[in-house]
Amino acid sequence: MNQNNKFKIALLSFAIMGGVMYGQSVVEDFKPGITTQQGKQYPQVNSEGRVRVSIPAPDAKLVQLDIGGKKYDLTKNAEGVWTGESAPQDVGFHYYQLNIDGASVPDPGSLYFYGASRWGSGIEVPSADQDFFALKNVPHGELHQTYYYSKSSDKVRMVYIYTPPGYTKDSNKRYPVLYLQHGMGENETGWGNQGHAGLIMDNLIAEGKAVPFIIVMENSSVNLPRGPRPNPQAAPPAGNAPRPGGGMNFAAEFEKILFNDLIPFVESNYRAIPNAANRAMAGLSMGGMQTRSIVIANPDKFAYVGMFSSGTFVPSEITDLAAFKKNGKLVFMSFGGREGGSARIGDAAEEWTKAGIKGISYISPETAHEWHSWRRSLYQFAPLLFK
Amino acid sequence: MNQNNKFKIALLSFAIMGGVMYGQSVVEDFKPGITTQQGKQYPQVNSEGRVRVSIPAPDAKLVQLDIGGKKYDLTKNAEGVWTGESAPQDVGFHYYQLNIDGASVPDPGSLYFYGASRWGSGIEVPSADQDFFALKNVPHGELHQTYYYSKSSDKVRMVYIYTPPGYTKDSNKRYPVLYLQHGMGENETGWGNQGHAGLIMDNLIAEGKAVPFIIVMENSSVNLPRGPRPNPQAAPPAGNAPRPGGGMNFAAEFEKILFNDLIPFVESNYRAIPNAANRAMAGLSMGGMQTRSIVIANPDKFAYVGMFSSGTFVPSEITDLAAFKKNGKLVFMSFGGREGGSARIGDAAEEWTKAGIKGISYISPETAHEWHSWRRSLYQFAPLLFK
């Protein structure tokens, strides 16, 4: 090989590398998705899972897309419109924002979701299995937004309640109830919006895979202590030991509201079956840890328990295991595959099965501590309930 | 008066004028309101109705508050935080946005509402009468979000349905139904969010001022022609004349969905009383004009008609007045006081009363073509229904 050819090859290699490095290899099949506002062209996602945003900002010096913990510089065209894309993201839902000359703002083209303790932009990266929460021509349940008076907190509180298809028509049938909690920095709207809990249930019920039940979604971020953020990867505290979050029981305030106000409201205002055998509780991240705390303290109140990305739960954590076994049917634990924890929840599930209550563990493939893991967890969990 | 005193007086006058001109007379009693995100300090409103926003944008050259058709420059402090306020706004709800170096974006501190054909920031300026839509410890109805299949458009469509307190508990009672439409550039979420239709009804029912009824809120911006925006101040088109919006009936597409799909869905899936005597239709701005068009074309389908900031409606517009009079009980027309139109709807209401159907007109004091006029209109209209 002569010097000239060596030079050509070096140049070619450099060009290819440069292409990759400078994003020239981006697949140009971007389109708006289910989280883009109707009639807006951006944000878009491509088949690689890259998120592309575009915003006119003629006088700005620097505009960035802030997603997945990284900031991506956008490029300005002659008309003053800034455009650019992120590296490929995991399938599913992600919070994001724009940065304009140092200001962090929502993308005016996206729908808005509550997470990270604020309403802001979210983007859905299509997934191979997204059909399980797709809007289809099947009988649909309803997501009710309503209010009830909580004596424990002396406040009128908002609650979201899913009722299954047929509930508003059929006037006699009574249904079991799942109390389903959000994560830290989220609220009672999460499962209904980005979680698509209603569509997941509608589709499962239409396919005959789940029995119809009511889902109650309330805000469990009540008087949380200011301690460190609970870590779902940490070993669970022992039965009566202090809970994560600075030394006090971080579920205590919500627990009061749940038993004194919320369950009585639901069971006297909806056609619920008002007993432990027909009551389930589950949650994601902090919500799953709260579920565990509440079940440990009240082992006779729920028959089904779900913890999504919330650590492990083992039988020895319940002092009065006999009380739990009277109605207890299932302990379900899950993690996103990128979170780890697989072996741990597998072992814990086995311990439950040995103890006489069905233990199930589930790992969501190639997702992290994020909504797609939790939608899939609900999709796995719901068919196991109330059968 | 010596020169020195003249100079002092001139200086004083200048200081006072300067104070007014440069905003030093702004009353410093700003606070976050019901449209500010929980935990956020801005946006705020003061007792004069000025809206103050604040956003960190350390590298920006110009940040503005864009509200009520005007842009107000903000001022940057040493920490790079931009703050400033608008002139006093009318009481009630207003859409707004921020401008950062030429980019129009939502305020990250506000809640988001659908209007002006986009999800964006909104601000509530407190009003003396805001108690009528306040969240109180009274029995609450529910706002249902659900889906139904529309054969006319071969689509699964979203609909919001308000059911009154007791609906989910009481299993036999049947209720009348109001079909309630939004305005141009808005959607099915408007009445439930910024319109507070649910809280208005809960409070009216708790005080015994309105009978409980169901409210159905669907998106009537269906295949709208691309003609000029309908003008609610313009003289109404004659009975069968072309409707506003470029020469075709701008309600036609929605009318098909309404009668073929939506009313059948509601009357077979909810405990509705399925007859014209127990059916009302109303809307704001474009929604009221659609209501008029639909009632003119279908005079035997509704007993109560409401048009909020939607022009006038007179008996001569209905060819088959006898058909309307068979069930027809009420034609209600309203305007915001700043919109004008008062005399015109007063005369039209009298014409209805003379024709044998109660005509009522209402003017919302000191408000324009905006949500506070429409909330007040619903508050006046609802007690007249189904009695």
Side-chain angles (χ1 to χ4, degrees):
Chain A
M1 191 182 286
N2 65 26
Q3 280 303 101
N4 196 26
N5 276 355
K6 271 191 192 161
F7 178 75
K8 277 183 186 163
I9 287 170
L11 202 67
L12 187 68
S13 305
F14 184 78
I16 290 170
M17 273 188 61
V20 174
M21 282 176 68
Y22 292 102
Q24 287 168 26
S25 71
V26 167
V27 179
E28 279 302 332
D29 57 358
F30 287 90
K31 36 183 192 230
I34 60 170
T35 50
T36 302
Q37 290 188 32
Q38 214 185 354
K40 299 281 176 89
Q41 281 310 300
Y42 291 91
Q44 299 186 344
V45 184
N46 78 352
S47 55
E48 301 169 281
R50 292 182 198 269
V51 175
R52 176 174 283 172
V53 296
S54 183
I55 184 166
D59 307 322
K61 287 192 293 279
L62 177 66
V63 181
Q64 295 171 309
L65 163 61
D66 180 356
I67 187 169
K70 282 188 189 161
K71 288 178 183 165
Y72 301 88
D73 289 0
L74 310 187
T75 309
K76 185 176 167 178
N77 73 6
E79 288 76 43
V81 178
W82 296 74
T83 305
E85 58 275 327
S86 72
Q89 305 291 307
D90 283 349
V91 296
F93 178 86
H94 307 279
Y95 300 112
Y96 77 100
Q97 60 187 0
L98 301 182
N99 261 269
I100 302 172
D101 286 346
S104 295
V105 294
D107 181 343
S110 83
L111 294 177
Y112 305 121
F113 303 87
Y114 195 81
S117 302
R118 57 118 178 85
W119 285 95
S121 291
I123 185 91
E124 180 75 28
V125 175
S127 49
D129 62 343
Q130 64 190 3
D131 191 63
F132 78 88
F133 61 91
L135 178 60
K136 299 178 192 175
N137 183 13
V138 297
H140 288 281
E142 322 224 342
L143 189 63
H144 309 231
Q145 182 198 67
T146 190
Y147 303 90
Y148 70 104
Y149 176 67
S150 157
K151 210 171 168 178
S152 311
S153 53
D154 190 23
K155 278 203 182 102
V156 177
R157 291 174 60 91
M158 186 185 284
V159 57
Y160 280 84
I161 297 181
Y162 167 84
T163 57
Y167 182 96
T168 50
K169 186 180 192 175
D170 186 312
S171 61
N172 293 307
K173 192 172 171 181
R174 301 187 81 90
Y175 299 83
V177 185
L178 164 64
Y179 293 82
L180 184 60
Q181 303 311 128
H182 57 84
M184 177 77 83
E186 295 173 335
N187 69 11
E188 67 277 16
T189 64
W191 272 110
N193 289 346
Q194 59 267 46
H196 297 298
L199 294 175
I200 292 171
M201 291 309 304
D202 293 347
N203 292 337
L204 279 173
I205 293 166
E207 292 171 28
K209 290 182 182 163
V211 301
F213 54 83
I214 295 168
I215 304 181
V216 177
M217 293 155 279
E218 233 277 41
N219 190 334
S220 56
S221 293
V222 194
N223 289 344
L224 286 179
R226 292 189 186 165
R229 181 188 168 119
N231 174 10
Q233 296 296 341
N240 291 313
R243 306 276 165 250
M248 59 176 281
N249 186 333
F250 77 115
E253 285 300 306
F254 181 63
E255 185 178 334
K256 260 190 244 166
I257 292 173
L258 180 69
F259 290 114
N260 298 343
D261 309 317
L262 184 59
I263 292 178
F265 167 76
V266 169
E267 296 187 349
S268 66
N269 287 280
Y270 287 79
R271 297 196 312 279
I273 309 175
N275 60 39
N278 288 283
R279 220 181 273 132
M281 186 166 183
L284 71 91
S285 192
M286 178 189 81
M289 291 186 269
Q290 291 179 319
T291 298
R292 181 181 56 208
S293 290
I294 287 169
V295 169
I296 287 171
N298 307 271
D300 58 341
K301 295 288 192 293
F302 299 94
Y304 304 84
V305 177
M307 292 170 54
F308 311 156
S309 300
S310 306
T312 50
F313 182 23
V314 291
S316 61
E317 291 181 76
I318 297 195
T319 315
D320 191 355
L321 191 61
F324 185 44
K325 284 180 72 172
K326 226 166 63 181
N327 293 302
K329 290 273 173 54
L330 174 73
V331 173
F332 175 100
M333 290 161 281
S334 68
F335 269 115
R338 298 204 204 289
E339 292 185 273
S342 146
R344 205 142 38 81
I345 58 173
D347 293 347
E350 263 185 51
E351 282 193 51
W352 280 110
T353 302
K354 278 183 201 152
I357 289 174
K358 192 195 256 183
I360 296 278
S361 68
Y362 166 71
I363 298 296
S364 163
E366 297 183 1
T367 58
H369 197 72
E370 54 202 9
W371 273 100
H372 207 60
S373 304
W374 306 324
R375 297 163 175 166
R376 284 173 171 170
S377 296
L378 178 62
Y379 182 71
Q380 298 293 327
F381 179 61
L384 305 173
L385 301 184
F386 311 120
K387 280 182 173 169
Chain B
M1 191 180 284
N2 64 28
Q3 281 302 102
N4 195 27
N5 277 354
K6 272 192 193 159
F7 178 75
K8 276 184 186 162
I9 286 169
L11 201 69
L12 187 67
S13 306
F14 183 79
I16 289 169
M17 275 189 61
V20 173
M21 285 175 65
Y22 293 101
Q24 289 170 23
S25 71
V26 166
V27 178
E28 281 301 334
D29 56 359
F30 287 89
K31 35 182 193 228
I34 60 170
T35 51
T36 301
Q37 289 188 33
Q38 215 186 351
K40 298 281 176 93
Q41 282 308 301
Y42 291 90
Q44 300 187 344
V45 184
N46 77 353
S47 55
E48 302 170 278
R50 291 182 199 271
V51 175
R52 176 174 283 174
V53 294
S54 183
I55 184 167
D59 307 322
K61 287 193 293 282
L62 178 65
V63 182
Q64 294 173 309
L65 163 62
D66 180 355
I67 187 167
K70 283 188 190 162
K71 288 177 183 166
Y72 301 88
D73 290 358
L74 310 187
T75 309
K76 184 176 164 177
N77 72 7
E79 288 77 43
V81 178
W82 296 74
T83 306
E85 59 274 328
S86 72
Q89 305 292 306
D90 284 348
V91 295
F93 178 86
H94 308 280
Y95 301 111
Y96 77 99
Q97 59 188 357
L98 302 182
N99 261 268
I100 302 171
D101 286 346
S104 296
V105 293
D107 181 343
S110 84
L111 294 176
Y112 304 121
F113 304 88
Y114 196 82
S117 301
R118 56 120 179 83
W119 285 96
S121 291
I123 184 92
E124 181 75 27
V125 175
S127 49
D129 62 343
Q130 65 190 4
D131 192 62
F132 79 88
F133 62 89
L135 177 60
K136 298 178 193 176
N137 183 13
V138 297
H140 288 280
E142 320 223 344
L143 190 62
H144 308 232
Q145 181 198 68
T146 189
Y147 303 90
Y148 69 105
Y149 175 67
S150 158
K151 210 172 169 178
S152 310
S153 53
D154 189 24
K155 278 203 180 104
V156 177
R157 291 175 59 89
M158 187 185 282
V159 58
Y160 280 84
I161 298 182
Y162 167 84
T163 56
Y167 182 96
T168 48
K169 184 180 190 173
D170 187 312
S171 61
N172 294 306
K173 192 171 171 181
R174 299 187 83 87
Y175 299 84
V177 184
L178 164 64
Y179 294 82
L180 184 60
Q181 303 310 130
H182 57 84
M184 177 76 86
E186 295 172 337
N187 69 11
E188 68 277 15
T189 64
W191 273 110
N193 288 346
Q194 60 267 44
H196 295 299
L199 294 176
I200 291 171
M201 291 309 304
D202 292 346
N203 292 337
L204 279 172
I205 293 166
E207 291 171 25
K209 290 180 181 163
V211 302
F213 54 84
I214 295 168
I215 304 180
V216 178
M217 292 156 280
E218 233 277 39
N219 191 333
S220 56
S221 294
V222 194
N223 289 343
L224 285 178
R226 292 190 186 164
R229 181 188 167 118
N231 173 8
Q233 296 296 340
N240 291 313
R243 306 277 167 249
M248 58 175 282
N249 185 331
F250 76 113
E253 284 300 307
F254 181 63
E255 186 179 333
K256 259 189 247 167
I257 292 172
L258 180 67
F259 290 115
N260 298 344
D261 309 317
L262 184 58
I263 291 178
F265 167 76
V266 169
E267 295 187 350
S268 66
N269 287 281
Y270 287 79
R271 298 196 311 277
I273 309 174
N275 60 37
N278 288 283
R279 220 182 274 133
M281 187 166 181
L284 70 91
S285 193
M286 179 190 81
M289 292 186 269
Q290 291 178 318
T291 298
R292 181 180 58 209
S293 292
I294 286 169
V295 169
I296 286 170
N298 307 272
D300 59 340
K301 293 289 192 293
F302 298 95
Y304 303 84
V305 176
M307 292 169 55
F308 312 156
S309 300
S310 307
T312 51
F313 182 22
V314 291
S316 61
E317 290 179 78
I318 297 196
T319 316
D320 191 355
L321 192 60
F324 185 44
K325 284 179 71 171
K326 228 167 61 182
N327 292 302
K329 288 273 171 55
L330 173 74
V331 174
F332 176 100
M333 289 161 283
S334 69
F335 268 116
R338 299 203 204 288
E339 292 186 273
S342 147
R344 203 140 43 78
I345 59 171
D347 293 349
E350 263 184 50
E351 280 192 53
W352 280 108
T353 302
K354 277 182 201 151
I357 288 174
K358 191 194 256 181
I360 296 278
S361 69
Y362 165 73
I363 298 294
S364 162
E366 297 182 0
T367 58
H369 196 72
E370 55 201 9
W371 274 100
H372 207 59
S373 304
W374 306 324
R375 295 164 176 166
R376 283 172 172 169
S377 296
L378 178 62
Y379 182 72
Q380 297 293 326
F381 180 60
L384 305 173
L385 300 184
F386 312 118
K387 279 182 173 170

